[in-house]
């Protein structure tokens, strides 16, 4: 008699409809908790009035890239287009030049928030000290981050069953590695949401390959590239790989890959063509690459305690005037000149960058560094304490998926980690840039933790659940066979 035919295993397993309903109810509770955690963080840690544009310039209520995202969204909502939003302060009396300091997806989302809350019936929210929509932007990110928790639960379920989905969603709901990011007016929340959506689309496409699902996969990957430029790597790593894992004729694989890739390019092309037409030097997605490279390649980031980090001022020489694309070209040439003069040091710096990205080298440097990006010291310290057990459990999850021969699921789960690691190696190490990989870290940690518990405490009930919710990552392949 096989294990599956034992009466105890059949009798104890809930009906599929009951199981789905139970999963949905528990996941809904977790999502509500996630929303509460994020709203509480914004309400408590980010409280107080905040006026961004004062007569003397930007205030301290926002930090780093937050200033750009908030200001550009408000500028766009007022009908000024994708132009430099701080020009009125930095260069009064001059025409605002075009800007593509960051890809547009986050700005577009925040623009809708700025516009909606500046018009009835939502304009009641605007009070003295809040007329730059900072608080609305923060709460919008908290809501979007909560939606990511929902998708993480669904993705975890798709990878390894109901239990994994619920545990992964629970980790994501309360982990400071995620909710701190969701309180910032930056691109990481939007990027994480689109990346998780892309991974779900990859599984759906492999289950039932079709032109429509290829279009969906390519579209969401294109949007991810418009959220953070490094996630254009989803096109070669996901869009082009997934079709070739299908048990289909080679010609059909090529067709589906071409459709998905073409869709991603079409989604990104309006922004790319817009930039090619309005900047002096060739610009595709962003003009931020030059200053990023310049700040990551200089003495203070190649030697000493700052190795692998990014420095403004002493590295970049400050902001350059003129067209953003021309400034980026100048910064880029400086960076490449420095790299050429210090080639022997590059391997050491690259290792330091990647190690910093994954909290393996001088992790407490991020406590100070992150305060310049609007992260409280206490939040960074808690994040460090949570990261290491989560990472160890994720490693166990990778081992468990390998043992289950869930090769496709493992590849899909590792793609975001590959992207953020490559980006760190090419630019600099910053745990904020690791944020889009945190959802899959939570899922892999759930797989690892549950696998360890099941291995230590086998029982008929555990076996029933294991068989009932066995990894569905290979289900599509099984059906195709």
């Amino acid at each position: 008699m096989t294990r599956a035919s034992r009466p105890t295993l059949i009798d104890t397993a809930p009906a599929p409809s009951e199981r789905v309903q139970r999963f949905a109810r528990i996941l809904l509770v977790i999502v509500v908790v996630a929303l509460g955690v994020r709203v509480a963080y914004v309400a408590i840690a980010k409280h107080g009035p905040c006026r961004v544009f004062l007569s003397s310039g930007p205030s301290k209520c926002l930090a780093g890239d937050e200033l750009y995202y908030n200001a550009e969204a408000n500028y766009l909502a007022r009908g000024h287009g994708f132009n430099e939003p701080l020009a009125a302060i930095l260069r009064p009396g001059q025409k605002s030049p075009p800007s593509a300091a960051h890809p547009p997806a986050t700005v577009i989302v925040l623009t809708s928030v700025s516009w909606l809350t500046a018009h009835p019936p939502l304009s009641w929210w605007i009070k003295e000290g809040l007329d730059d929509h900072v608080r609305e932007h923060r709460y919008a990110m908290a809501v979007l981050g909560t939606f990511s928790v929902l998708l993480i639960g669904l993705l975890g379920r798709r990878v390894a069953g109901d239990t994994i989905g619920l545990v992964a969603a629970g980790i994501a709901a309360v982990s400071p590695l995620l909710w701190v990011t969701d309180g910032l007016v930056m691109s990481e929340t939007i990027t994480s949401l689109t990346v998780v959506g892309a991974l779900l689309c990859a599984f759906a496409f492999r289950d039932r390959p079709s032109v429509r699902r290829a279009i969906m996969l390519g579209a969401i990957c294109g949007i991810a590239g418009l959220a953070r430029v490094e996630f254009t790597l989803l096109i070669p790593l996901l869009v082009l790989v997934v079709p070739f894992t299908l048990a289909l004729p080679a010609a059909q694989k090529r067709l589906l890959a071409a459709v998905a890739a073409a869709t991603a390019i079409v989604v990104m092309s309006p922004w790319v063509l817009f930039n090619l037409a309005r900047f002096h030097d060739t610009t595709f997605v962003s003009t931020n690459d030059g200053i990023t490279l310049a700040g990551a390649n200089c003495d203070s980031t190649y030697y000493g305690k700052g190795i692998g980090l990014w420095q403004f001022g002493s590295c970049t020489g400050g902001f350059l005037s003129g067209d953003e694309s021309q400034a980026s070209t100048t910064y880029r040439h400086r960076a490449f000149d420095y790299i050429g003069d210090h080639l022997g040091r590059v391997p050491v710096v690259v290792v330091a960058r990647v190690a910093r990205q994954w909290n393996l080298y001088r992790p407490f440097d991020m406590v100070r560094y992150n305060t310049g990006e609007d992260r409280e010291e206490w939040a960074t310290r808690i994040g460090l304490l949570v990261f290491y057990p989560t990472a160890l459990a994720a490693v166990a999850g990778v081992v468990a998926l390998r043992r289950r021969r869930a090769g496709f699921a493992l590849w899909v789960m590792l793609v975001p980690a590959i992207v953020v690691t490559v980006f760190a190696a090419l630019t600099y190490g910053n745990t904020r840039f690791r944020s889009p990989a945190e959802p899959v870290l939570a899922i892999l940690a759930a797989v690892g933790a549950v696998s360890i518990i099941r291995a230590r405490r086998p029982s008929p009930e555990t076996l029933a659940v294991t068989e009932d919710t066995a990894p569905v990552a290979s289900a599509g392949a099984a059906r195709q066979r």
Side-chain angles (χ1 to χ4, degrees):
M1 179 181 294
T2 64
R3 179 184 298 172
S5 65
R6 294 174 184 173
T8 55
L9 299 185
I10 296 175
D11 295 340
T12 57
S17 59
E18 289 181 25
R19 192 171 67 248
V20 171
Q21 292 175 8
R22 183 179 63 185
F23 174 83
R25 288 195 298 270
I26 298 174
L27 181 58
L28 179 60
V29 172
I30 293 172
V31 169
V32 171
V33 171
L35 178 61
V37 169
R38 283 152 178 77
V39 168
Y41 172 63
V42 173
I44 297 172
K46 308 295 185 183
H47 69 282
C50 180
R51 290 180 63 90
V52 178
F53 291 110
L54 304 175
S55 58
S56 59
S59 74
K60 294 183 179 180
C61 62
L62 295 174
D65 290 343
E66 285 186 310
L67 279 169
Y68 176 86
Y69 285 115
N70 171 262
E72 183 75 325
N74 294 331
Y75 206 57
L76 190 60
R78 293 165 189 157
H80 298 297
F82 280 98
N83 295 317
E84 171 53 61
L86 302 179
I89 294 172
L90 300 176
R91 293 179 291 275
Q94 298 183 21
K95 182 181 178 181
S96 181
S99 178
H102 295 283
T106 301
V107 169
I108 291 172
V109 171
L110 295 177
T111 297
S112 64
V113 176
S114 295
W115 190 88
L116 286 171
T117 53
H119 294 79
L122 297 179
S123 56
W124 61 270
W125 180 267
I126 310 302
K127 300 178 181 178
E128 180 64 27
L130 295 176
D131 57 352
D132 288 300
H133 305 282
V134 175
R135 186 167 296 179
E136 301 98 294
H137 289 172
R138 292 195 191 281
Y139 282 117
M141 289 298 185
V143 171
L144 292 171
T146 301
F147 191 61
S148 290
V149 174
L150 172 64
L151 295 188
I152 289 168
L154 296 176
L155 181 59
R157 181 175 185 263
R158 182 60 187 78
V159 170
D162 292 2
T163 301
I164 299 301
L166 294 175
V167 173
I171 293 172
V174 300
S175 173
L177 300 173
L178 286 159
W179 55 253
V180 169
T181 300
D182 295 337
L184 305 180
V185 188
M186 292 194 187
S187 62
E188 279 68 34
T189 296
I190 305 295
T191 308
S192 297
L193 183 61
T194 55
V195 168
V196 176
L199 303 187
L200 277 168
C201 285
F203 279 110
F205 175 62
R206 191 167 189 266
D207 281 347
R208 288 191 293 171
S210 67
V211 171
R212 182 175 65 86
R213 294 195 175 202
I215 291 173
M216 290 175 58
L217 175 61
I220 193 68
C221 289
I223 295 171
L226 293 176
R228 284 200 63 89
V229 66
E230 63 268 28
F231 278 91
T232 55
L233 288 175
L234 290 181
I235 298 174
L237 295 178
L238 207 61
V239 169
L240 296 180
V241 168
V242 173
F244 288 96
T245 67
L246 303 172
L248 295 173
Q252 193 170 350
K253 292 180 183 180
R254 290 194 293 268
L255 173 63
L256 291 173
V259 168
T263 302
I265 293 170
V266 167
V267 167
M268 299 186 68
S269 61
W271 177 250
V272 172
L273 294 174
F274 181 49
N275 288 334
L276 290 173
R278 66 193 181 122
F279 287 107
H280 182 278
D281 291 356
T282 301
T283 298
F284 296 104
V285 180
S286 172
T287 58
N288 203 42
D289 61 308
I291 196 170
T292 299
L293 291 171
N297 295 279
C298 65
D299 287 346
S300 60
T301 58
Y302 268 51
Y303 303 92
K305 295 181 179 180
I307 183 174
L309 291 173
W310 185 88
Q311 293 290 334
F312 182 70
S314 60
C315 287
T316 63
F319 290 114
L320 300 179
S321 59
D323 184 284
E324 277 188 6
S325 66
Q326 293 173 296
S328 183
T329 299
T330 300
Y331 285 131
R332 196 182 307 116
H333 287 163
R334 289 180 185 176
F336 289 156
D337 288 343
Y338 187 89
I339 293 171
D341 293 338
H342 299 81
L343 285 176
R345 187 66 177 170
V346 169
V348 177
V349 175
V350 168
V351 171
R353 291 168 176 170
V354 173
R356 284 190 182 277
Q357 185 89 324
W358 294 100
N359 291 133
L360 299 175
Y361 175 70
R362 297 181 62 91
F364 287 99
D365 283 357
M366 284 295 155
V367 175
R368 172 188 55 81
Y369 196 86
N370 283 345
T371 58
E373 297 190 329
D374 200 22
R375 293 172 183 245
E376 297 77 15
E377 287 191 13
W378 61 266
T380 300
R381 292 182 186 277
I382 295 175
L384 282 172
L385 291 176
V386 170
F387 171 76
Y388 293 107
T390 303
L392 289 174
V395 171
V398 171
V399 173
L401 289 179
R402 282 180 57 86
R403 287 177 176 173
R404 296 179 188 185
R405 297 182 180 179
F408 177 77
L410 185 57
W411 170 255
V412 171
M413 290 293 98
L414 291 178
V415 163
I418 293 171
V419 172
V420 299
T421 300
V422 169
F423 183 71
L426 295 177
T427 56
Y428 63 100
N430 186 337
T431 53
R432 173 167 71 90
F433 298 153
R434 195 185 68 214
S435 295
E438 301 290 1
V440 296
L441 195 68
I443 294 171
L444 290 173
V447 173
V450 172
S451 297
I452 291 171
I453 293 172
R454 286 174 175 168
R456 292 174 62 87
R457 295 192 305 172
S459 65
E461 292 79 8
T462 301
L463 293 173
V465 174
T466 301
E467 293 183 355
D468 193 46
T469 61
V472 291
S474 59
R479 281 193 291 273
Q480 292 166 33
R481 288 196 297 270

